[in-house]
Protein backbone atom coordinates (compact mmCIF):
# COMPACT_ATOMS: atom_id res chain seq x y z
CA UNK A 1 0.00 0.00 0.00
CA UNK A 2 1.45 3.37 -1.01
CA UNK A 3 1.45 6.63 0.87
CA UNK A 4 3.09 9.94 0.15
CA UNK A 5 5.79 9.30 2.73
CA UNK A 6 6.76 5.88 1.33
CA UNK A 7 6.90 5.08 -2.36
CA UNK A 8 8.08 1.76 -3.74
CA UNK A 9 10.05 2.49 -6.88
CA UNK A 10 13.26 1.17 -8.41
CA UNK A 11 14.65 3.81 -10.72
CA UNK A 12 17.59 1.83 -12.09
CA UNK A 13 15.76 -1.19 -13.42
CA UNK A 14 14.58 -1.50 -17.03
CA UNK A 15 10.89 -0.88 -17.51
CA UNK A 16 8.35 -2.13 -20.00
CA UNK A 17 5.30 0.00 -20.74
CA UNK A 18 3.50 -2.81 -22.61
CA UNK A 19 -0.25 -3.13 -22.03
CA UNK A 20 -0.39 -0.33 -19.46
CA UNK A 21 -3.52 1.83 -19.36
CA UNK A 22 -6.00 3.54 -17.04
CA UNK A 23 -9.70 2.65 -17.03
CA UNK A 24 -12.44 4.97 -15.73
CA UNK A 25 -14.43 3.48 -12.83
CA UNK A 26 -16.56 6.16 -11.16
CA UNK A 27 -17.02 9.84 -10.42
CA UNK A 28 -18.26 11.56 -7.28
CA UNK A 29 -21.10 14.08 -7.26
CA UNK A 30 -19.98 17.61 -8.15
CA UNK A 31 -20.23 18.85 -4.57
CA UNK A 32 -16.69 20.08 -3.98
CA UNK A 33 -15.15 23.47 -4.65
CA UNK A 34 -11.99 23.13 -6.70
CA UNK A 35 -10.68 20.06 -4.84
CA UNK A 36 -6.89 19.81 -4.90
CA UNK A 37 -4.62 17.00 -3.76
CA UNK A 38 -5.84 13.92 -1.92
CA UNK A 39 -4.38 11.06 0.11
CA UNK A 40 -5.53 7.70 1.47
CA UNK A 41 -5.43 6.94 5.16
CA UNK A 42 -2.71 4.45 6.20
CA UNK A 43 -5.35 1.72 6.58
CA UNK A 44 -6.84 2.50 3.16
CA UNK A 45 -10.34 3.07 4.53
CA UNK A 46 -10.64 6.81 3.94
CA UNK A 47 -9.73 9.26 1.21
CA UNK A 48 -8.84 12.75 2.48
CA UNK A 49 -9.31 15.61 0.02
CA UNK A 50 -8.06 19.19 0.28
CA UNK A 51 -11.40 20.79 -0.59
CA UNK A 52 -9.82 24.09 -1.48
CA UNK A 53 -12.75 26.39 -2.18
CA UNK A 54 -14.72 25.13 0.81
CA UNK A 55 -11.80 25.74 3.23
CA UNK A 56 -11.97 22.24 4.65
CA UNK A 57 -10.81 18.64 4.43
CA UNK A 58 -13.41 16.33 2.92
CA UNK A 59 -13.34 12.63 3.84
CA UNK A 60 -14.62 10.13 1.28
CA UNK A 61 -15.17 6.40 1.03
CA UNK A 62 -12.44 5.53 -1.51
CA UNK A 63 -14.55 2.78 -3.14
CA UNK A 64 -17.92 4.51 -3.50
CA UNK A 65 -16.68 8.14 -3.39
CA UNK A 66 -19.42 8.88 -0.86
CA UNK A 67 -18.76 11.92 1.33
CA UNK A 68 -18.41 10.66 4.93
CA UNK A 69 -17.58 13.89 6.73
CA UNK A 70 -15.52 17.07 6.81
CA UNK A 71 -13.26 18.93 9.22
CA UNK A 72 -11.01 21.97 9.35
CA UNK A 73 -13.75 24.55 8.79
CA UNK A 74 -12.66 27.81 10.42
CA UNK A 75 -9.11 26.46 10.81
CA UNK A 76 -7.67 26.14 7.30
CA UNK A 77 -7.85 28.50 4.36
CA UNK A 78 -7.71 27.26 0.75
CA UNK A 79 -5.95 23.97 1.63
CA UNK A 80 -4.01 22.49 -1.28
CA UNK A 81 -2.34 19.27 -0.12
CA UNK A 82 -2.40 16.59 2.58
CA UNK A 83 -0.04 13.80 3.67
CA UNK A 84 0.21 11.35 6.55
CA UNK A 85 3.22 11.08 8.84
CA UNK A 86 4.52 7.93 10.49
CA UNK A 87 2.33 8.58 13.55
CA UNK A 88 -0.83 8.59 11.44
CA UNK A 89 -1.36 12.33 11.73
CA UNK A 90 -2.61 14.28 8.72
CA UNK A 91 -0.48 17.23 7.62
CA UNK A 92 -2.29 19.84 5.54
CA UNK A 93 -0.83 22.61 3.39
CA UNK A 94 -2.88 25.45 4.89
CA UNK A 95 -2.20 27.84 2.06
CA UNK A 96 -3.96 31.05 3.08
CA UNK A 97 -2.40 30.85 6.56
CA UNK A 98 1.14 30.09 5.30
CA UNK A 99 1.57 27.07 7.54
CA UNK A 100 1.30 23.31 7.69
CA UNK A 101 -1.46 22.25 10.06
CA UNK A 102 -1.28 18.91 11.86
CA UNK A 103 -4.42 16.90 12.59
CA UNK A 104 -5.05 13.85 14.71
CA UNK A 105 -7.65 11.98 12.68
CA UNK A 106 -10.21 9.35 13.54
CA UNK A 107 -12.00 8.31 10.37
CA UNK A 108 -13.97 11.30 9.08
CA UNK A 109 -13.06 13.44 12.08
CA UNK A 110 -9.95 15.51 12.69
CA UNK A 111 -8.59 17.53 15.60
CA UNK A 112 -6.02 20.30 15.10
CA UNK A 113 -3.01 19.44 17.27
CA UNK A 114 -0.12 21.47 15.87
CA UNK A 115 1.44 23.47 13.07
CA UNK A 116 4.71 24.04 11.22
CA UNK A 117 5.83 27.49 10.12
CA UNK A 118 9.02 28.75 8.51
CA UNK A 119 10.08 30.67 5.43
CA UNK A 120 7.42 29.17 3.17
CA UNK A 121 4.71 31.54 1.96
CA UNK A 122 1.41 30.07 0.78
CA UNK A 123 2.49 26.42 0.95
CA UNK A 124 0.84 24.20 -1.66
CA UNK A 125 2.69 20.91 -1.21
CA UNK A 126 3.61 18.75 1.79
CA UNK A 127 5.22 15.30 2.11
CA UNK A 128 6.78 13.21 4.87
CA UNK A 129 10.08 11.40 4.33
CA UNK A 130 10.82 7.99 5.93
CA UNK A 131 13.62 9.76 7.83
CA UNK A 132 10.94 11.79 9.61
CA UNK A 133 11.54 15.07 7.83
CA UNK A 134 8.57 17.04 6.55
CA UNK A 135 9.01 18.83 3.22
CA UNK A 136 6.78 21.73 2.19
CA UNK A 137 6.75 23.99 -0.86
CA UNK A 138 6.04 27.71 -0.77
CA UNK A 139 4.13 28.71 -3.89
CA UNK A 140 4.52 32.44 -3.26
CA UNK A 141 8.04 32.26 -1.81
CA UNK A 142 9.32 30.00 -4.61
CA UNK A 143 11.07 27.61 -2.25
CA UNK A 144 10.99 24.24 -0.54
CA UNK A 145 11.73 23.81 3.16
CA UNK A 146 12.54 20.75 5.24
CA UNK A 147 11.42 20.45 8.87
CA UNK A 148 12.84 18.11 11.47
CA UNK A 149 11.31 17.78 14.94
CA UNK A 150 9.10 20.74 14.06
CA UNK A 151 11.98 23.07 13.13
CA UNK A 152 13.25 24.20 9.71
CA UNK A 153 16.58 22.48 8.90
CA UNK A 154 17.10 22.99 5.15
CA UNK A 155 15.82 25.19 2.35
CA UNK A 156 16.20 25.62 -1.41
CA UNK A 157 14.87 28.42 -3.59
CA UNK A 158 14.93 29.14 -7.31
CA UNK A 159 11.54 27.50 -7.92
CA UNK A 160 8.50 29.19 -9.47
CA UNK A 161 5.14 28.53 -7.84
CA UNK A 162 6.15 25.03 -6.69
CA UNK A 163 3.23 22.77 -5.87
CA UNK A 164 3.50 19.11 -4.91
CA UNK A 165 6.47 17.40 -3.31
CA UNK A 166 6.74 13.59 -3.32
CA UNK A 167 9.35 11.19 -1.93
CA UNK A 168 10.75 8.30 -3.97
CA UNK A 169 11.97 5.02 -2.50
CA UNK A 170 15.58 6.04 -3.04
CA UNK A 171 14.99 8.99 -0.70
CA UNK A 172 15.07 11.66 -3.38
CA UNK A 173 12.56 14.49 -3.44
CA UNK A 174 10.42 15.25 -6.50
CA UNK A 175 8.83 18.68 -6.90
CA UNK A 176 6.22 19.94 -9.36
CA UNK A 177 7.86 23.25 -10.30
CA UNK A 178 4.60 24.48 -11.75
CA UNK A 179 5.36 27.83 -13.36
CA UNK A 180 8.62 26.51 -14.80
CA UNK A 181 6.66 23.65 -16.43
CA UNK A 182 9.00 20.97 -15.12
CA UNK A 183 9.70 18.47 -12.37
CA UNK A 184 12.78 18.83 -10.15
CA UNK A 185 14.53 15.95 -8.40
CA UNK A 186 16.49 16.84 -5.24
CA UNK A 187 18.48 15.10 -2.53
CA UNK A 188 17.20 14.86 1.04
CA UNK A 189 19.27 17.98 1.75
CA UNK A 190 17.62 19.80 -1.16
CA UNK A 191 20.44 19.79 -3.68
CA UNK A 192 19.21 19.64 -7.28
CA UNK A 193 19.94 16.35 -9.06
CA UNK A 194 18.11 16.94 -12.33
CA UNK A 195 15.08 18.48 -13.98
CA UNK A 196 12.48 16.80 -16.18
CA UNK A 197 10.63 18.88 -18.75
CA UNK A 198 10.79 20.28 -22.24
CA UNK A 199 9.09 19.41 -25.50
CA UNK A 200 9.00 15.65 -24.83
CA UNK A 201 6.62 16.19 -21.91
CA UNK A 202 4.77 19.37 -22.88
CA UNK A 203 4.08 20.17 -19.23
CA UNK A 204 1.88 23.22 -18.70
CA UNK A 205 1.49 23.90 -15.00
CA UNK A 206 2.17 20.46 -13.45
CA UNK A 207 0.55 20.36 -10.02
CA UNK A 208 0.46 17.14 -7.96
CA UNK A 209 2.32 13.83 -8.13
CA UNK A 210 2.19 10.25 -6.92
CA UNK A 211 3.98 6.96 -7.64
CA UNK A 212 2.44 3.53 -8.21
CA UNK A 213 3.98 0.27 -7.02
CA UNK A 214 5.83 -0.16 -10.32
CA UNK A 215 7.65 3.13 -9.83
CA UNK A 216 5.62 5.01 -12.44
CA UNK A 217 5.17 8.71 -11.68
CA UNK A 218 1.72 10.23 -12.28
CA UNK A 219 1.57 13.98 -12.89
CA UNK A 220 -1.61 16.09 -12.87
CA UNK A 221 -0.77 18.57 -15.64
CA UNK A 222 -3.28 21.33 -15.04
CA UNK A 223 -3.46 23.42 -18.19
CA UNK A 224 -3.26 20.56 -20.69
CA UNK A 225 -6.20 19.00 -18.79
CA UNK A 226 -4.22 15.76 -18.68
CA UNK A 227 -2.68 13.14 -16.45
CA UNK A 228 0.80 12.22 -17.65
CA UNK A 229 2.49 9.01 -16.54
CA UNK A 230 6.27 8.65 -16.54
CA UNK A 231 8.18 5.36 -16.40
CA UNK A 232 10.88 4.93 -13.74
CA UNK A 233 13.42 6.14 -16.32
CA UNK A 234 11.21 9.29 -16.65
CA UNK A 235 10.16 8.56 -20.24
CA UNK A 236 6.55 9.55 -20.95
CA UNK A 237 4.49 6.36 -21.37
CA UNK A 238 0.86 7.49 -21.10
CA UNK A 239 -1.16 10.66 -21.54
CA UNK A 240 -4.77 10.59 -20.33
CA UNK A 241 -7.30 13.34 -20.75
CA UNK A 242 -8.21 16.47 -22.58
CA UNK A 243 -10.70 19.17 -21.69
CA UNK A 244 -14.18 17.92 -20.80
CA UNK A 245 -16.22 16.03 -18.21
CA UNK A 246 -16.79 12.48 -19.49
CA UNK A 247 -14.59 9.43 -18.84
CA UNK A 248 -11.01 10.22 -19.76
CA UNK A 249 -11.66 13.98 -19.68
CA UNK A 250 -10.70 16.60 -17.09
CA UNK A 251 -11.00 20.28 -16.38
CA UNK A 252 -7.64 21.42 -14.99
CA UNK A 253 -6.95 18.37 -12.78
CA UNK A 254 -4.70 18.80 -9.75
CA UNK A 255 -4.74 15.84 -7.32
CA UNK A 256 -3.41 12.27 -7.58
CA UNK A 257 -3.55 9.34 -5.13
CA UNK A 258 -2.71 5.69 -5.83
CA UNK A 259 -3.24 2.44 -3.95
CA UNK A 260 -2.43 -0.80 -5.73
CA UNK A 261 -4.46 -0.84 -8.95
CA UNK A 262 -6.71 2.02 -7.81
CA UNK A 263 -6.06 5.62 -8.80
CA UNK A 264 -7.96 8.73 -7.74
CA UNK A 265 -7.76 12.15 -9.39
CA UNK A 266 -9.15 15.51 -8.38
CA UNK A 267 -10.99 16.73 -11.47
CA UNK A 268 -10.57 20.13 -9.94
CA UNK A 269 -12.64 22.54 -11.99
CA UNK A 270 -15.34 19.96 -12.56
CA UNK A 271 -15.61 20.02 -8.74
CA UNK A 272 -15.42 16.25 -8.37
CA UNK A 273 -13.22 13.25 -7.55
CA UNK A 274 -12.82 10.47 -10.11
CA UNK A 275 -11.59 6.92 -9.70
CA UNK A 276 -9.63 4.92 -12.27
CA UNK A 277 -8.15 1.43 -12.39
CA UNK A 278 -4.71 0.44 -13.66
CA UNK A 279 -4.90 -2.07 -16.50
CA UNK A 280 -1.80 -4.10 -17.37
Amino acid sequence: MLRKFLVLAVFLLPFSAAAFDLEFVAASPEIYAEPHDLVLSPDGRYLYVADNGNDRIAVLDPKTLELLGTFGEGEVGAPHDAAFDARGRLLVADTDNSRITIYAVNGPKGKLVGELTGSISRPEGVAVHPNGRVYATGASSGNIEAFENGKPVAEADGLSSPHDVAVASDGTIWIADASNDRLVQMTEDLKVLRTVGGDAFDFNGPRYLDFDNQGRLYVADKYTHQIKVLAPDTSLILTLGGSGKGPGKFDRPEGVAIDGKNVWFSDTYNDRIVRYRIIE
Side-chain angles (χ1 to χ4, degrees), residues 26-32 60 64-66 271-275:
S28 76
E30 297 165 26
I31 59 174
Y32 304 100
L60 282 65
T64 66
L65 303 182
E66 176 188 359
D271 296 325
R272 64 181 188 167
I273 306 302
V274 293
R275 180 184 170 196

Side-chain angles (χ1 to χ4, degrees), residues 1 3-4 29 50 62 70 103 107 160 166 172 181 188 252 264:
M1 187 172 293
R3 299 292 173 263
K4 297 189 77 166
T70 66
Y103 283 90
S160 183
T172 59
D181 297 325
E188 296 176 29
R252 291 162 285 175
W264 296 265

